[in-house]
Amino acid sequence: MSWASHHCPAWLARARYTIMEQRDYYEVLGVERTASAEEIKKAYRKLALKYHPDHNPGDAEAEARFKEAAEAYEVLREPERRARYDQFGHDGVNGSPFGGFTSNEDIFAHFGDIFGDIFGFGMGGAARGGRGPRPEAGADLRYDLKLTFEQAARGTEVTLNIPRQVTCEECGGSGAAKGAKRETCPQCKGTGQIRHSQGFFQFATTCPKCNGEGSIISHPCPRCKGKGLVRKSQDLSVTIPAGVDTGTRLRLSGEGESGLHGGPAGDLYVFLTVEPSKKFKRSGQDLIVTHDITFPQAALGVKITIDGLNGPLEVKIPKGTQSGATFRIPGEGLPYLRQKRQTGKKKKKGDMLVEVRVLTPTSLTSRQEELLREFDEAGEGKAMSKVRKAAKKLGKVMGMD
């Protein structure tokens, strides 16, 4: 009995004997002799899909075309063999009745790069496992932190209690008990993969016993149960820079969960939420405060004192100020984040915006009403000195001077 009938599916054995005359390989694939490697691969993929035996059951001619295309591609895909073919024709590459294939392993390995793309699963060739556990990066963690406005404005230091997976101290992350070592997986023989045959195809799946690592732990660490990691809560001191706002995200590199088998630790991301201030409104790094003044103060001008972040601030309100007017005090807002620090210079900050609101009295005495009428009668046509005199009288009577 022939090798083909021993080791090949029936359709592949028939295909071998159907191809009686070898055609030019470029003609088989339908490409020019100057075609690129990518053009040759593309042509082969097209023919493989068209003539694949699973798509043409019982069609001997399709099986023959499929095998012929495979032989052509096997030669033309490799630069050295293609050069020999270009120079000597079929005599330069025919080392076996299968056009270069010496065993079923060669055929499976050959089809792997094409049919893995076409059908979406791994094909033939040696398994790529057996190198032991691969390093795995630890998971990133998220922590949501709420701050008061004062903490965010001035900066602070907080201590966070972070539950996370850390490297097991007893086994050093190996997962094996003291004195024990990892052993070659008996199911996959250290390859990390299990190979399966289905008709013409051969494909590999991850070994379920060792999860593709190629080795197993017969005597796992009693503390981590072979995982190499244990869950532990740890206190972490975090510095919150001044000027942060809701939505600010702090990244603490390497403070996430520990990696496996020497892999790097993940990161910790702290997401901040800042409570609103009872005194200020915030606009970026600027602060806005509203201050009430009387009508006489608005008309005559006045100096007012407001509470700033770092103590009282004095603001001069000029004569004739209208309600809603805003006065800016530079550098009395919140610090800007992510700026370059320069030696000898203060860190740049936003501004304090003082919005003035002129109050209108709702309850007046008869004397106050009399003075307001006198003020109104002074009018714009009267001497300005009379207007100022009336305003001062009004202020004293209303107790607002």
Side-chain angles (χ1 to χ4, degrees), residues 318-337:
K319 298 176 181 179
T321 293
Q322 302 298 307
S323 186
T326 300
F327 301 91
R328 183 180 297 269
I329 308 176
E332 292 296 338
L334 299 170
Y336 283 96
L337 302 175

Side-chain angles (χ1 to χ4, degrees), residues 37 39 80-81 92 118 128 131 138 208 263 316 332 359 378 393:
E39 289 173 332
E80 293 184 4
R81 300 191 68 189
I118 295 175
R128 293 182 292 177
R131 291 175 289 182
K316 184 178 180 180
E332 292 296 338
L359 297 178
K393 286 182 180 180

